[in-house]
């Protein structure tokens, strides 16, 4: 497979992953699927790991990868493949942006999973006390302490599920962008196709 076609496949794969990450981050603004006041939303949600890191910053590399197959640079110095090789080289920079964005999302998600959700831990008629009752990921191996979160209903599983999806999606995005770095380098050094025939 030629490097341009392979890059296009990577771009096609990155687009739905970015959309999933954006949706997950948006859903995290509604703990347990319930609207709450903004000060009661888990802190890491406001870091926009899924929206910015694995979402917006991933759209740019994906669009660049999608356009590489049909790139028709006019060439340089009398070499028609020069322009295409430069395009593949520039894709490495966008892949690095993708790795950075996905890496940011992975870090935010890992921290959020470790700290757990913000929830109501003391519910009286007078006041509801919100806090982060878990520490150092202790709730991950001990489901019996999940009832410490009284409200919103199901907030622990909601928090854990969505941030886990962001974590896994971010790791996949990093891997795909890293593959494009290798693909771009090979295209620059060896030409656009394995057989040495350029794509028209």
């Amino acid at each position: 497979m030629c490097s341009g076609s392979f890059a296009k496949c990577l771009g096609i794969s990155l687009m739905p992953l970015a959309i999933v990450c954006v949706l997950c981050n948006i859903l995290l603004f509604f703990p347990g699927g319930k609207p709450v006041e903004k000060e009661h939303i888990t802190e890491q949600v406001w870091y926009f790991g899924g929206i910015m890191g694995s979402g917006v910053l991933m759209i740019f590399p994906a669009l660049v990868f999608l356009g590489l197959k049909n790139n028709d640079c006019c060439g340089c110095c009398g070499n028609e493949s020069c322009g295409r090789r430069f395009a593949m080289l520039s894709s490495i920079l966008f892949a690095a942006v993708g790795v950075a964005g996905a890496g940011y999302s992975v870090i935010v998600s890992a921290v959020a999973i470790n700290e757990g959700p913000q929830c109501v831990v003391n519910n009286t008629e007078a006041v509801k006390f919100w806090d982060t009752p878990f520490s150092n990921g202790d709730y991950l191996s001990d489901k019996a302490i999940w009832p410490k979160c009284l409200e919103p209903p199901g907030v622990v599983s909601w928090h854990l599920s969505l941030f886990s999806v962001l974590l896994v999606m971010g790791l996949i995005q990093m891997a795909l962008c890293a593959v494009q770095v290798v693909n771009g380098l090979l295209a620059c050094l060896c030409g656009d196709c394995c057989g040495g025939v350029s794509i028209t």
Side-chain angles (χ1 to χ4, degrees):
M1 178 185 289
C2 296
S3 57
S5 299
F6 184 67
K8 183 177 181 179
C9 292
L10 294 178
I12 292 173
S13 301
L14 286 172
M15 292 298 285
L17 295 179
I19 294 172
V20 169
C21 290
V22 170
L23 291 176
C24 285
N25 202 146
I26 292 174
L27 289 173
L28 283 165
F29 282 100
F30 304 92
K34 307 292 183 181
V36 298
E37 296 181 12
K38 63 179 182 179
E39 61 266 23
H40 297 150
I41 296 173
T42 302
E43 179 183 359
Q44 289 75 26
V45 177
W46 292 102
Y47 295 163
F48 299 106
I51 294 176
M52 292 301 298
S54 288
V56 175
L57 287 180
M58 196 56 60
I59 295 296
F60 296 113
L63 292 176
V64 170
F65 300 166
L66 285 171
L68 287 175
K69 182 179 185 299
N70 298 319
N71 187 285
D72 57 354
C73 293
C74 57
C76 56
C77 302
N79 188 346
E80 293 182 0
S81 67
C82 178
R84 189 178 298 277
R85 291 189 181 194
F86 179 79
M88 291 301 297
L89 181 61
S90 66
S91 75
I92 297 174
L93 300 178
F94 284 94
V97 171
V99 170
Y104 173 72
S105 179
V106 166
I107 293 172
V108 170
S109 300
V111 172
I113 291 172
N114 184 62
E115 293 189 0
Q118 184 177 173
C119 59
V120 175
V121 295
N122 186 10
N123 190 1
T124 65
E125 292 184 2
V127 64
K128 292 182 178 181
F129 182 69
W130 290 74
D131 194 14
T132 305
F134 309 119
S135 60
N136 298 322
D138 55 355
Y139 73 103
L140 296 174
S141 58
D142 188 3
K143 198 172 182 179
I145 64 176
W146 286 19
K148 284 185 178 181
C149 279
L150 303 177
E151 295 181 12
V155 65
V156 179
S157 57
W158 183 272
H159 174 94
L160 181 58
S161 299
L162 291 175
F163 271 116
S164 295
V165 170
L166 285 175
L167 180 66
V168 173
M169 295 295 101
L171 291 173
I172 294 174
Q173 288 174 329
M174 290 177 68
L176 292 176
C177 288
V179 169
Q180 176 53 28
V181 170
V182 176
N183 181 47
L185 286 174
L186 290 176
C188 292
L189 297 175
C190 306
D192 192 56
C193 289
C194 297
V197 179
S198 298
I199 301 173
T200 57

